[in-house]
Amino acid sequence: MLVTSRTALLAFALAGSVAARASAQGWIEPIRPLPRGSIERIRSAVQVAVAGRIARVTVEEWFRNTGPGLGEGTYLYPLPGEAVFSDFSLWQGDRELKGETMDATQARGIYETIVRQKRDPALIELAGHGLLRARVFPINPGETRKITLRYTQILDRAGDAWRFRYVGGPSGSAASRSFRLEVDSAARFGEPYSPTHRVSVTRSGGGLAVTLADSSWSGDLDLLLPLARGLVGMSLLTQQSLGEDGSFMLLLAPGQAAQAVTLRRDLVAVLDVSGSMSGEKLDQAKAALVQLLGTLRPSDRFRVITFSSDVRRYAPAWTDAAGEHVRDAQQWVRALSAEGGTNIAGALGEAFAAAPAEGALGVVVFLTDGMPTVGETDPERIANAAEQNRGAFRVFCFGIGYDVNTYVLDRLTERARGTTEYIQPGGDIERAVGSLAAKVSSPVLTDLALRADGADLYDVQPGSLPDLFAGDELVVFGRFRGAGSGEWSVTVNGRRNGHPEQFTTGAPATHAAGAEYIPQLWAARKVGALTREIRLHGQNPEIMNELKRLALRYGILTEYTSYLVQEPNQVVVRPPFDRIAPAPAAQVGALSVDRARREAKSAAVANAAEAADMDEAVRGRLAGQASRRVGGHLFVRRDSVWTDVAHGDSLPVVRVAAFSDAYFALLRALPELVKPAALEPAVLVAGRRVSIKIEPGGKSTWQDGELERLVREFRR
């Protein structure tokens, strides 16, 4: 029978010139002449066991023949460059099938043959690194076959963290996927963090387990395991396309609360008790304030201020947070009732009237559900006065409901190293304030600032770094230039108990593989900061031009820009007619609150999974306009050619025949073209001094020195 007479083939090859993906789920290449079979992956399960710096990876995949006839194929799986192949099992009943090795020249021939036959340029990304290849025996209609692969790899070092990467493949490539990573010694690590996916972490019996928060997942997974050494762990990942400035992602992971130094806090709690707060809102707010006071330590001090038409104080000066004083203040809060108007200006003036002590962390927590109706009511003057009088206080605002003036609250926290959280009607005020109370209970570093040695950092997001608290990660994105090929480092300066502290980490010798998400996330944060700047300070040509440039470069839709693809073959970015920034006094209501919440999320997003959701929505909206963002370029379809919007008529065009010898040599010389090359039937990519068009016709070979000149002109 055909089933028993075939021989399994296992191929593994190392070396080559094109950078491969770190690791990936495998795929099936059909074998002819069995066209009636259809082999599909129905499930994948990835298990990773970390001991020391070694990760042992087990990948199980199930394939089913969904066609009417016999199905047969070749299973291909790319391995990480540092991986050591352990074993591969292809089971037919209880029979295990083995394989043999293949050298790099043979592996490259296999790749290029597959690409030519399948016309799938993305496969060329894998050429030159580890390739596992196994013949899948014919599978009967409706039958399922399981494949098990095991390999071992050394985890990369990323500053003060180990980095694990798994290429999961495109969305929809598996019906069901699961991932689980286990660490044998949880005490060695801080809180695991993924810039690409939401993760769930459990600690039990001295071990640590990381799973994905989503039951199904797609895309490449990056996971950082911060080492639990020192007060603050730093992990630095970089990405740089040739000929361009680079992007970086810096993760600051402080230790747990038990490791944090006890820092004295001076807390001012300001509560709106105007008539509109009556009922459930006031009950929740009072409970939240009682909880907040309960987090104070004996070394702390506090003030409690309430406001309606008038401003009231629990005590005329700072009160020590001794047990009896806190209990008295909590009882005073429980007795509060709601009435009168909203005197925001008077409340802020009283909140900032007594400065925090030298070396103490001054925190103002401000809760309101309305806009100013008593005293000074002009939002601009209220915000300016607060900025002048704030001093060293950090300000955290909670806007309750839709009647708050978002301009006032966001201006209060803009430069105060704080945040504004908007709580929708019916939302849990106590939970929101309790989360903040837990956060500010263990400050690690204050007054943070970044500097680099050997490179120039710019466009750092967030622009004003918040304080760093125990158990809370801070993710910073930015751009860098001038690093050249030498070593460079990033230093974080801050203050602890009034004394300066600094922490330094070196930039990795090579840029993070598959880290295209870094410039995309930086752009998302930058757009959030720009839109907030427009709303708070008005439009100006410089900001609008920068917003449009980012929108074109990264395919980002914003409140103030939208894509318009017109015939004949034009794409522009224009300001929609209904997106003019409202005046400060008009920034009230559900739309203003929703806009402020979205901008805060964009400006402070730390998890790429959120950005991926946004990116998916952007792609969906652009899909109806024949636009695609691929490999850091935005393309529009013009006369059946995907054209880079950065291409201008002044740029000369070099035409290369798809899947020719010249094509493969081009992708090896310019690997940044691999992803754009997947656009069919033709693509035009803009470089610095020349554009390259990949189409059915064009050059099929290169003359001596011709490709080298093209690479120089494309990149420089």
Side-chain angles (χ1 to χ4, degrees):
M1 291 179 60
L2 184 62
V3 170
T4 58
S5 63
R6 299 269 183 187
T7 301
L9 175 66
L10 183 64
F12 177 54
L14 292 176
S17 60
V18 178
R21 292 181 175 185
S23 60
Q25 291 181 323
W27 73 95
I28 292 288
E29 285 296 323
I31 296 178
R32 283 137 177 96
L34 294 170
R36 300 180 64 204
S38 179
I39 301 176
E40 298 179 0
R41 184 194 296 112
I42 60 172
R43 180 184 170 197
S44 295
V46 181
Q47 297 274 347
V48 184
V50 176
R53 194 175 169 181
I54 302 300
R56 293 180 172 84
V57 183
T58 300
V59 181
E60 294 181 300
E61 304 200 274
W62 289 261
F63 294 89
R64 177 181 296 164
N65 181 3
T66 60
L70 284 176
E72 186 178 17
T74 297
Y75 177 71
L76 299 169
Y77 190 101
L79 291 166
E82 293 292 326
V84 176
F85 171 73
S86 299
D87 63 76
F88 173 89
S89 299
L90 172 63
W91 295 91
Q92 182 185 5
D94 57 358
R95 181 185 177 189
E96 184 178 6
L97 306 174
K98 298 291 186 179
E100 59 190 66
T101 61
M102 180 180 296
D103 66 26
T105 301
Q106 289 176 291
R108 175 172 294 177
I110 291 172
Y111 275 125
E112 296 193 2
T113 299
I114 292 171
V115 173
R116 284 188 171 95
Q117 291 176 347
K118 296 296 294 179
R119 298 181 62 82
D120 184 356
L123 295 182
I124 200 66
E125 284 186 275
L126 311 175
H129 274 257
L131 167 66
L132 182 145
R133 180 175 181 259
R135 177 68 54 82
V136 178
F137 273 43
I139 304 176
N140 291 316
E143 185 181 4
T144 298
R145 187 66 52 81
K146 175 184 172 182
I147 293 172
T148 302
L149 165 68
R150 296 179 181 87
Y151 59 89
T152 301
Q153 68 181 100
I154 300 176
L155 296 179
D156 294 331
R157 182 70 179 258
D160 293 329
W162 301 133
R163 180 185 184 227
F164 176 80
R165 178 168 165 74
Y166 186 84
V167 176
S171 176
S173 62
S176 173
R177 294 178 178 178
S178 64
F179 175 86
R180 182 178 179 86
L181 180 143
E182 295 183 347
V183 178
D184 61 348
S185 178
R188 297 179 57 235
F189 298 96
E191 195 70 8
Y193 170 77
S194 172
T196 58
H197 291 75
R198 288 181 290 270
V199 296
S200 297
V201 180
T202 56
R203 297 174 183 262
S204 177
L208 176 73
V210 182
T211 57
L212 298 187
D214 297 327
S215 57
S216 62
W217 61 285
S218 62
D220 304 346
L221 169 66
D222 241 333
L223 183 64
L224 295 171
L225 300 172
L227 296 169
R229 287 205 303 260
L231 182 69
V232 177
M234 298 175 61
S235 303
L236 179 65
L237 298 180
T238 62
Q239 191 278 339
Q240 185 170 23
S241 299
L242 291 171
E244 297 184 0
D245 290 348
S247 302
F248 71 87
M249 182 188 80
L250 177 66
L251 170 67
L252 300 178
Q256 299 300 311
Q259 301 170 318
V261 66
T262 300
L263 182 64
R264 179 179 177 180
R265 294 168 298 169
D266 282 350
L267 171 72
V268 183
V270 186
L271 176 62
D272 183 349
V273 292
S274 60
S276 59
M277 283 286 292
S278 61
E280 183 182 5
K281 282 194 291 187
L282 184 59
D283 291 340
Q284 279 199 36
K286 290 193 297 183
L289 192 50
V290 167
Q291 179 184 3
L292 180 63
L293 292 171
T295 66
L296 295 175
R297 294 184 289 262
S299 59
D300 299 331
R301 299 188 303 174
F302 70 91
R303 299 180 69 216
V304 180
I305 297 168
T306 64
F307 68 97
S308 54
S309 298
D310 299 317
V311 177
R312 295 178 58 199
R313 301 171 297 179
Y314 164 71
W318 289 105
T319 302
D320 293 332
E324 65 277 10
H325 295 158
V326 170
R327 287 191 293 271
D328 288 345
Q330 290 173 327
Q331 190 59 37
W332 187 81
V333 169
R334 293 188 183 99
L336 293 172
S337 59
E339 62 179 358
T342 308
N343 187 357
I344 289 180
L348 290 173
E350 180 61 37
F352 301 141
E358 182 69 25
L361 178 67
V363 176
V364 172
V365 179
F366 189 87
L367 296 91
T368 182
D369 78 331
M371 52 185 173
T373 60
V374 176
E376 178 60 72
T377 59
D378 182 82
E380 185 69 43
R381 287 196 287 268
I382 292 175
N384 286 339
E387 181 62 27
Q388 293 173 7
N389 299 327
R390 175 175 57 84
F393 279 111
R394 275 71 172 156
V395 181
F396 297 87
C397 291
F398 293 88
I400 305 167
Y402 292 141
D403 293 331
V404 295
N405 186 292
T406 61
Y407 174 84
V408 171
L409 298 189
D410 286 345
R411 276 288 304 274
L412 284 175
T413 60
E414 180 187 13
R415 297 182 180 90
R417 298 182 185 266
T419 58
T420 300
E421 183 170 349
Y422 292 98
I423 303 170
Q424 295 180 326
D428 192 338
I429 304 171
E430 187 174 359
R431 181 207 59 79
V433 178
S435 177
L436 173 66
K439 176 179 177 179
V440 301
S441 64
S442 302
V444 174
L445 287 178
T446 63
D447 303 305
L448 269 63
L450 290 184
R451 67 175 175 83
D453 293 318
D456 177 30
L457 304 184
Y458 67 98
D459 264 341
V460 175
Q461 300 296 330
S464 178
L465 298 182
D467 299 320
L468 189 60
F469 299 94
D472 186 29
E473 293 84 20
L474 172 61
V475 184
V476 182
F477 292 93
R479 304 278 286 171
F480 67 88
R481 58 193 166 210
S485 58
E487 296 181 356
W488 63 285
S489 62
V490 172
T491 297
V492 174
N493 293 293
R495 299 186 68 80
R496 182 164 62 118
N497 260 353
H499 302 291
E501 294 271 2
Q502 69 175 32
F503 302 87
T504 300
T505 187
T510 58
H511 299 299
E516 291 83 3
Y517 59 82
I518 294 179
Q520 294 169 6
L521 281 179
W522 165 80
R525 282 199 174 185
K526 178 73 171 178
V527 163
L530 290 174
T531 52
R532 192 166 187 255
E533 179 75 12
I534 290 171
R535 183 168 59 85
L536 293 182
H537 304 288
Q539 297 179 4
N540 66 61
E542 182 178 350
I543 292 179
M544 293 305 298
N545 288 338
E546 176 68 3
L547 195 61
K548 293 175 184 179
R549 185 188 68 81
L550 286 172
L552 270 178
R553 179 69 171 83
Y554 296 98
I556 298 173
L557 298 180
T558 76
E559 289 282 335
Y560 303 100
T561 61
S562 66
Y563 289 99
L564 175 65
V565 179
Q566 298 175 315
E567 296 295 340
N569 304 323
Q570 295 179 343
V571 59
V572 297
V573 176
R574 67 178 186 183
F577 297 109
D578 59 345
R579 290 293 187 268
I580 303 302
Q587 295 186 32
V588 179
L591 291 178
S592 292
V593 170
D594 186 56
R595 182 183 297 115
R597 292 175 71 235
R598 290 199 310 271
E599 289 171 6
K601 183 178 180 180
S602 296
V605 61
N607 193 316
E610 297 177 4
D613 294 341
M614 178 185 67
D615 192 47
E616 187 68 32
V618 169
R619 287 198 300 270
R621 292 180 65 178
L622 293 180
Q625 300 180 334
S627 302
R628 297 288 189 276
R629 183 165 64 83
V630 179
H633 297 257
L634 180 66
F635 297 89
V636 294
R637 188 162 180 141
R638 301 176 179 174
D639 295 333
S640 299
V641 177
W642 290 101
T643 302
D644 192 334
V645 296
H647 171 71
D649 293 338
S650 60
L651 287 176
V653 177
V654 175
R655 292 170 170 81
V656 179
F659 310 111
S660 65
D661 291 339
Y663 165 87
F664 287 109
L666 175 68
L667 295 190
R668 290 192 182 94
L670 292 171
E672 60 265 38
L673 294 183
V674 168
K675 291 184 178 179
L679 295 173
E680 292 185 333
V683 62
L684 178 63
V685 187
R688 290 296 181 91
R689 292 190 290 169
V690 66
S691 294
I692 297 174
K693 186 177 183 181
I694 299 173
E695 57 184 352
K699 285 183 174 293
S700 58
T701 60
W702 299 105
Q703 301 297 321
D704 289 344
E706 187 177 12
L707 179 57
E708 290 76 8
R709 288 193 297 272
L710 175 61
V711 170
R712 288 195 300 270
E713 292 177 353
F714 185 83
R715 289 176 172 167
R716 299 184 181 88

